[in-house]
Amino acid sequence: MSIISDAFEDLFPEKNIGDFNFNIKYNGKFKPYNANVKYTRNSFAFNLSKKWERVSREIQIGLLQELLLKAFNIDLYNNFMKKIHIAAPKTRIDSFLEESFDRVNEKYFIGMVEKPNLVWHSSIRRLGSYEYGSDTISISRTLEKDEPAMDYVMYHEMLHKKLKFDSSNGSCRHHTKAFRELERKFENSNEMEERLKSIARQGMRKRFLFSYSGGL
Ligand SMILES: [Zn+2]
């Protein structure tokens, strides 16, 4: 029996090992006793420092099991986070933001994005955010007076809601290539990017002046 099937079957006796692919590499470039696992759906690639090669079989099994558990738990967590929006209560929907959401939804998503919570925030640095756990899009007050820019940020956050995140390869990526391509589909997206930069700059200046006078 290979070391990985021992590790796996001991940990998950109810799972069918044939459903998974495993690959172990001992890497000479790794720091001593460093190890990680990268996984895509049902496929695990273990990378172990060369030092592990001479460690006893039992201890190596322990290491592989720890890495397996970590990978499975992260996978469970990610799947949970991708679905949790269904259960999140929608109790905070600002009507002004709702108009923006509806406009963007009609124009770019044929009305298919389910309405999340829609709230304002006062941060200048972050113009928008989407929180998976509470299913909430939050938009900076600095965008209140600029409808097209607000819609553009709304669109960005709606893409996050729609695409969730790409958790293949063991790391989460939010702004994937596919995400950026869709983002550019927004009307005049280049102009909008410039506009956001200038809004952010203005916001910074105002904040500086404010904190300066506040300090006097
Ligand atoms: Zn983003």
Side-chain angles (χ1 to χ4, degrees), residues 4 25 52 59 94 112 143 149 156 158 162 169 191 215:
I4 184 62
K25 266 194 205 133
W52 281 105
I59 293 176
D94 178 88
M112 291 301 280
L143 295 170
H156 178 105
M158 286 168 76
K162 186 164 181 273
N169 241 339
E191 190 199 316

Side-chain angles (χ1 to χ4, degrees), residues 192-205:
M192 289 302 144
E193 283 294 328
E194 289 309 309
R195 213 138 139 181
L196 294 188
K197 276 182 208 151
S198 107
I199 288 171
R201 273 196 300 270
Q202 279 168 23
M204 291 303 191
R205 260 204 303 277

Side-chain angles (χ1 to χ4, degrees), residues 180-209:
R180 291 299 184 200
E181 272 164 22
L182 283 170
E183 194 176 29
R184 280 193 290 275
K185 293 215 160 55
F186 193 91
E187 202 180 346
N188 306 326
S189 67
N190 285 339
E191 190 199 316
M192 289 302 144
E193 283 294 328
E194 289 309 309
R195 213 138 139 181
L196 294 188
K197 276 182 208 151
S198 107
I199 288 171
R201 273 196 300 270
Q202 279 168 23
M204 291 303 191
R205 260 204 303 277
K206 244 184 249 158
R207 197 159 71 149
F208 174 73
L209 285 175

Side-chain angles (χ1 to χ4, degrees), residues 128 156-157 160 174-175 179-180 183:
H156 178 105
E157 304 311 333
H160 279 309
H174 295 270
H175 299 130
F179 184 100
R180 291 299 184 200
E183 194 176 29

Side-chain angles (χ1 to χ4, degrees), residues 29-47:
K29 286 179 196 143
F30 264 33
K31 284 190 184 133
Y33 303 108
N34 202 351
N36 67 37
V37 60
K38 289 208 164 79
Y39 63 97
T40 48
R41 199 147 295 282
N42 294 353
S43 197
F44 295 81
F46 296 92
N47 258 302

Side-chain angles (χ1 to χ4, degrees), residues 79-90 114-117 130-136 161 164:
N79 284 333
F80 174 77
M81 290 305 280
K82 281 177 188 175
K83 294 199 183 100
I84 193 154
H85 70 95
I86 298 165
K90 312 292 183 289
E114 191 207 347
K115 200 164 288 173
N117 287 304
Y130 176 62
E131 201 185 271
Y132 297 94
S134 62
D135 194 21
T136 301
K161 177 174 162 65
K164 302 294 185 302

